[in-house]
Amino acid sequence: MKKFKFQLETLLKISNLEKEKAELAFSAAVQALRRQQDFLQKLQEELVKGKQDYEKMLLSRRVSAGQMQMYGDYFSFKQKQIDLQQVAVRNAEKKKAEKLQKMLEISKKVKALEQLKAERFLEYKQTLLAEEQKEIDEIGLQVYIHKSM
């Protein structure tokens, strides 16, 4: 009786390694997206706080034209930063989606190979059982012939 050997075992091992790499890449993309989103939230909070400070200063009525210009420039600068960060978040989301898609494709490939391996093993076991039954039948036949002589 020969030992079961899956012909595509090497491909399965390589595919499993690719799957692990894809999972790590996806995890890194998720973390990068989270960092980008956190930074965007921080910028938005800074803008809100700046506007609140500006409103407090307006209510105190101690505002010069220079201060108004400075706040206007600051708000404009913060809004540009927010716009750029929103683009960075969208890019990170696209990258995450790409990594997810790649991970899913590789996972399907691995699953298909594992199913094929299971089917081949089942075929191997059935062949093995058939051979054993054949041997048992031959032994039984020989015993019967030997007894009948």
Side-chain angles (χ1 to χ4, degrees), residues 78-117:
K78 277 295 172 192
Q79 191 58 52
K80 286 180 184 175
Q81 279 186 315
I82 289 170
D83 293 343
L84 289 173
Q85 190 59 30
Q86 286 173 335
V87 169
V89 167
R90 281 193 297 275
N91 289 338
E93 287 171 343
K94 287 179 187 175
K95 190 170 187 176
K96 176 189 158 202
E98 290 170 3
K99 299 296 180 185
L100 176 62
Q101 186 62 34
K102 184 173 182 178
M103 184 180 72
L104 291 175
E105 288 172 8
I106 292 172
S107 293
K108 285 180 186 178
K109 179 181 174 182
V110 168
K111 188 174 181 178
L113 285 170
E114 288 173 347
Q115 284 179 332
L116 182 62
K117 181 178 180 179

Side-chain angles (χ1 to χ4, degrees), residues 40-100:
L40 176 60
Q41 184 176 356
K42 180 183 171 221
L43 290 174
Q44 290 170 333
E45 289 170 358
E46 288 174 358
L47 180 62
V48 168
K49 184 173 180 340
K51 286 183 178 182
Q52 289 171 346
D53 291 345
Y54 180 67
E55 288 175 11
K56 284 179 187 177
M57 193 167 39
L58 285 177
L59 290 175
S60 71
R61 297 184 184 188
R62 290 182 271 147
V63 182
S64 68
Q67 287 175 323
M68 289 179 78
Q69 181 63 41
M70 183 182 71
Y71 270 102
D73 292 344
Y74 174 76
F75 296 147
S76 179
F77 171 72
K78 277 295 172 192
Q79 191 58 52
K80 286 180 184 175
Q81 279 186 315
I82 289 170
D83 293 343
L84 289 173
Q85 190 59 30
Q86 286 173 335
V87 169
V89 167
R90 281 193 297 275
N91 289 338
E93 287 171 343
K94 287 179 187 175
K95 190 170 187 176
K96 176 189 158 202
E98 290 170 3
K99 299 296 180 185
L100 176 62

Side-chain angles (χ1 to χ4, degrees), residues 8 13 16 19-21 27 30 33 36 55-56 59 68 80 82 88 91 95 99 105 129 137-138 143:
L8 301 174
K13 287 179 183 177
N16 275 322
K19 180 181 172 188
E20 288 176 22
K21 284 170 117 178
S27 177
V30 168
L33 174 59
Q36 295 292 347
E55 288 175 11
K56 284 179 187 177
L59 290 175
M68 289 179 78
K80 286 180 184 175
I82 289 170
N91 289 338
K95 190 170 187 176
K99 299 296 180 185
E105 288 172 8
L129 287 173
D137 289 347
E138 286 177 10
V143 168

